[in-house]
Structure formats: structure tokens, C-alpha cells
Amino acid sequence: MILVLISALLPIIVTLCLGYFSGARKDFGESHSKILNKLIMSYSLPMSLFGGILATGRKVIFENIPVAIWNFIGMVGGYLIVFSICKFILKNSTSLSALRSLTISGPAIPFVGPTLLGSLFPTETSLIVAIGSLIMNVVQVPLTVILLSTDSYELSASNKNRKINNLGLDIISAFKKPVVWAPIFALILSLFGITLSPIWQKNFSVLGGATGGMALFSIGIILYVKKPKLNLAVWMNTLSR
């Protein structure tokens, strides 16, 4: 088990350090990190999820329905629990409570998932990453955006309608992203019995296989550029996560 954990975590640490080192050498900066993130979220990750789900097969998908349910309960339930603690016990503002809820309950599964889960669950990795990404982009992020706006105006009747409209627009916007509709489309095709042969899967794995490495490298660059401070709030959020 120790060897499994080392093999799963060590590549993450090494790639993060390389990204940080490249930032320190001024080889890459914040603008490059944004380009890498756009490449990941718009192309490599959607291709990886699409090809991986189609190659998974309908039988494996049905076998992992409990995983999807528990994923939803863990992520959405965790979000609501953290929000309630921050808002009503710690007396944080609504916007700060929402940010802390997303920080703690929203796993960085699109970035770390392919590398970490690939070592632990090689067959179901694409499916698990797709489930986590969908829950985050369709539920957690739109909900956070709505809650962030509550501190800027009073909750009148017109503002309630505005919130509802904003929530609808955020959900529609989420479904327009390739990282959301690609796995959904692949899931529908898989349920109809359509699968990918290993030959065709290569069309999606060449770029898709680079997702984890590019994501971790980009995070390393951001860590150098932003130089986050490890204050009490950061430690509390990290330990809670």
C-alpha cells in the first residue's frame, strides 16, 4: 500500500516542483499558465473524458452508479455542511462562506484526478473524473456564483428573480463548456452500446493523456507567481479539505 501511495503521489509532487522551478527561472509566467489551463479545460480534458468513457463500456458504467451517487452526496452535501458552519457558526459573510465551501468541498479532480486516480483506479479513472467534473461545473460553481452576489444587494423580490435568472444562465453556460458536454455525450453513446476500439481510442489519448501533467505543471507555475501565504485561514481550509 505504501508503494501504491508513493507511486500515486510522487509524480504529482515532482511535476508541481518542475512547474514551480520553471516559474522561478522565468521560463513560464502567469499568461502561459492561463493558456495551459484553457488548453486543458477546452481540449485535452474533454478529449480524455470522452475517449475514456466510451472505452469504459456500458457494463462498467452501470456498476459504478453507486459511485456517482456517493460522489454527489459527498460533494454537494459537503458543500452545504461547510456553508452552514461558516455562515451560522463562524458568522462569515455569505460570499466568504460560499468561497470556503467551494474550496473545501470542491476537489481539484480535473487537474489532479487523472494522475492520482489513474494509479489507484486505472479502469474507472475517466468515469470518476467525469462525474466529479460534472458535479462541480453544474452544481457547485453556479451555486457559488449566485451566493457571491448576495452581499452586493438586498434580497428584494426583483433581486430574487434576478438570482433565479442568473442561476439559469450559469447552468446554461456550464453546459456549453466542452468539459461538461463531452462526457455527457460520451455517456449517452455508451448507454446505447457504442464503444471505442483501442485503435480509435488513440485519437483521444494522444492529447488527452497529457492532461494531468499539463495541469500539475500549470499549478506549479501559479504557486510561484502568486506566492500564497500560509496564514491561519489557509491552514484551516486545507486541513478541513
Side-chain angles (χ1 to χ4, degrees), residues 57-240:
R58 182 168 53 185
K59 180 181 178 181
V60 177
I61 291 175
F62 282 123
E63 290 175 350
N64 283 274
I65 289 179
V67 175
I69 295 174
W70 282 111
N71 231 346
F72 183 87
I73 293 174
M75 292 178 65
V76 178
Y79 186 101
L80 296 176
I81 291 172
V82 174
F83 181 83
S84 300
I85 293 174
C86 294
K87 178 66 176 177
F88 302 109
I89 298 179
L90 300 180
K91 303 299 182 181
N92 293 153
S93 64
T94 301
S95 57
L96 179 58
S97 299
L99 286 175
R100 297 188 74 174
S101 300
L102 184 63
T103 299
I104 294 171
S105 65
I109 196 166
F111 293 89
V112 182
T115 302
L116 180 60
L117 296 176
S119 299
L120 302 176
F121 310 101
T123 305
E124 299 88 359
T125 297
S126 297
L127 186 60
I128 297 174
V129 172
I131 293 170
S133 299
L134 287 174
I135 296 172
M136 176 177 288
N137 284 284
V138 176
V139 180
Q140 289 184 322
V141 173
L143 180 58
T144 302
V145 172
I146 296 301
L147 292 172
L148 285 174
S149 65
T150 57
D151 286 344
S152 60
Y153 52 78
E154 295 181 358
L155 189 58
S156 63
S158 60
N159 286 332
K160 287 182 180 179
N161 293 331
R162 191 188 311 173
K163 283 187 177 184
I164 294 174
N165 292 334
N166 287 343
L167 178 59
L169 291 175
D170 288 332
I171 293 176
I172 292 173
S173 176
F175 275 98
K176 291 181 179 179
K177 297 177 180 178
V179 73
V180 174
W181 63 256
I184 293 177
F185 184 43
L187 179 61
I188 294 173
L189 293 177
S190 293
L191 293 179
F192 279 100
I194 300 175
T195 58
L196 279 179
S197 67
I199 297 177
W200 290 104
Q201 189 179 1
K202 292 180 181 179
N203 293 304
F204 300 93
S205 62
V206 172
L207 181 59
T211 299
M214 289 192 298
L216 293 169
F217 192 85
S218 175
I219 293 173
I221 297 172
I222 291 296
L223 287 176
Y224 174 79
V225 173
K226 298 297 184 181
K227 293 181 173 60
K229 297 179 180 179
L230 300 179
N231 54 29
L232 179 61
V234 172
W235 280 114
M236 287 181 61
N237 291 338
T238 302
L239 293 175
S240 300

Side-chain angles (χ1 to χ4, degrees), residues 8-61:
L9 295 175
L10 188 59
I12 295 175
I13 297 173
V14 170
T15 310
L16 280 173
C17 291
L18 284 174
Y20 189 93
F21 180 71
S22 72
R25 282 176 48 88
K26 309 300 180 184
D27 292 332
F28 296 94
E30 185 174 4
S31 60
H32 300 100
S33 178
K34 291 180 179 179
I35 294 173
L36 283 175
N37 288 338
K38 186 173 183 179
L39 172 61
I40 294 164
M41 299 303 291
S42 299
Y43 293 94
S44 67
L45 182 57
M47 292 187 71
S48 175
L49 296 178
F50 186 86
I53 291 176
L54 276 184
T56 299
R58 182 168 53 185
K59 180 181 178 181
V60 177
I61 291 175

